[in-house]
Amino acid sequence: MSSDTADPFYWMRMILASKRGTLMELGITPVMTSSLIMQVLVGTKILEVGNTPKERSLYNSAQKFFGIIMTICYAVVYVCSGMYGAVGLGLGVLMVLQLVVTALIVMLLDEVVQNYGMGSGTSLFITTNTCESIFWHFLSINTITTAKGTQFEGAIIHFIYCLMTRSNPIQALHESFFRANLPNMCNVLATFVVFAVVIYLQSFRVDVPIKSTRVRGQTMSYPIKLFYTSNMPIILQSSLMANLLFLLSVVSNTLGRNAFADFLGLWSDEGGRKIPIGGFAKFLVAPDSLYGALFDPFHLIIHIVIVLAACALLSQAWIDISSSTSKHVSKQLIEQNMVIMGYRNESMVKYLDKYIPTAALLGGLCIGALSLGADLIGAIGSGTGILLAVTTIYQYYELFAKEMMDLRGGISGLF
């Protein structure tokens, strides 16, 4: 059961792999929250974790335990806050148990993915959620009644239907490419364009030549990619914006209509969503479309500045939190008996400082700009979701390519 009120967590659903009114109501919220908090504690040196297997095991156990506590807290708050309407004690306990057990299964799946060396399970869950949304809006055969009659929800299905049933092909193309309030072929093309641009930018990198100090003549390269911090800036930025929107919505509902509440945000319930239509909250959300942005350029400019600044700052902060600064990379290379060709151990940090901070800053700006552009041109799945999906899929592609190269090397070595 779910209440008929607007979804207060609508802005978090995509990045949390969450879906209202289902067992995935909590999504990856407990996993992501516990992981981020533990990484922040380690990055800020509040919590010291060594490289020994025992300490890493204790760290992982603490993270899982904290995730379970967060799961129980989230489930209780969801049920008690009226997300599923007015329920009694018995039904409320059963709902809490459902949410907790499902979140524990998600945590188990996340650990399975990590143990098989396939990266983070949370990224895979977000990718799955985004791809589901994209395929559904492309190929859904559900019919929806509109002012122009009954139409297929899927953009491609509706495009084929129009070509087969309309006598005028120009009218069929216009209806398929420019229909309002439902996915159209312009949205489909915009999605493919964003996919192609993100994949193209993934190949931008600087290869730093390194050599072994133990094995003479052994050389290789250390890649510093444009997306040095991967998709973390857009995850952090989206999470920050979503939480701010939720907080402003709660404050606005609590204070009612007055000058201060109107300054924080004016809200409208549209299609089960709480949409900010005024105040500061309005600038945290992108305009509905590029056409709408042209009539409100001030809104567009402020939103661009907020998103780009947040992505750039969070990207640079993340290299400190995740221990991937020039100092940390130099230390890792030295521990692996590797040095940058032509540089001593003491001067490697200065050399890496030419690339790593710049890559983090430019990468954050590029990711923020791509997310904004995708939202403005109407890409299906949202700019944030597409970026997360493409970067995750590309990481799996690189992992698969590396495994194949290692396999071929092993086979050729046998012969």
Side-chain angles (χ1 to χ4, degrees), residues 239-254:
S239 179
L240 176 63
M241 296 298 177
N243 281 285
L244 274 176
L245 286 168
F246 174 65
L247 180 62
L248 291 174
S249 173
V250 171
V251 172
S252 178
N253 290 338
T254 304

Side-chain angles (χ1 to χ4, degrees), residues 293-324:
L294 296 176
F295 288 92
D296 194 0
F298 183 70
H299 175 199
L300 176 63
I301 293 172
I302 297 297
H303 182 69
I304 289 175
V305 171
I306 291 175
V307 171
L308 294 184
C311 286
L313 293 175
L314 290 171
S315 180
Q316 288 197 309
W318 184 251
I319 63 175
D320 291 312
I321 295 173
S322 60
S323 299
S324 53

Side-chain angles (χ1 to χ4, degrees), residues 275-286:
I275 306 295
I277 58 175
F280 176 71
K282 177 183 177 181
F283 298 109
L284 300 179
V285 180

Side-chain angles (χ1 to χ4, degrees), residues 101-163:
V101 171
T102 306
L104 292 178
I105 293 174
V106 170
M107 294 173 65
L108 176 63
L109 292 175
D110 175 57
E111 186 172 357
V112 169
V113 172
Q114 292 185 39
N115 288 343
Y116 275 94
M118 298 175 65
S120 171
T122 56
S123 297
L124 182 60
F125 300 148
I126 296 173
T127 301
T128 305
N129 192 40
T130 303
C131 291
E132 176 201 4
S133 175
I134 292 173
F135 276 100
W136 183 262
H137 286 92
F138 277 13
L139 303 171
S140 171
I141 59 174
N142 277 359
T143 56
I144 296 177
T145 303
T146 67
K148 295 183 178 181
T150 303
Q151 298 182 357
F152 286 103
E153 183 180 5
I156 296 177
I157 300 297
H158 182 71
F159 172 64
I160 297 173
Y161 174 77
C162 288
L163 291 179

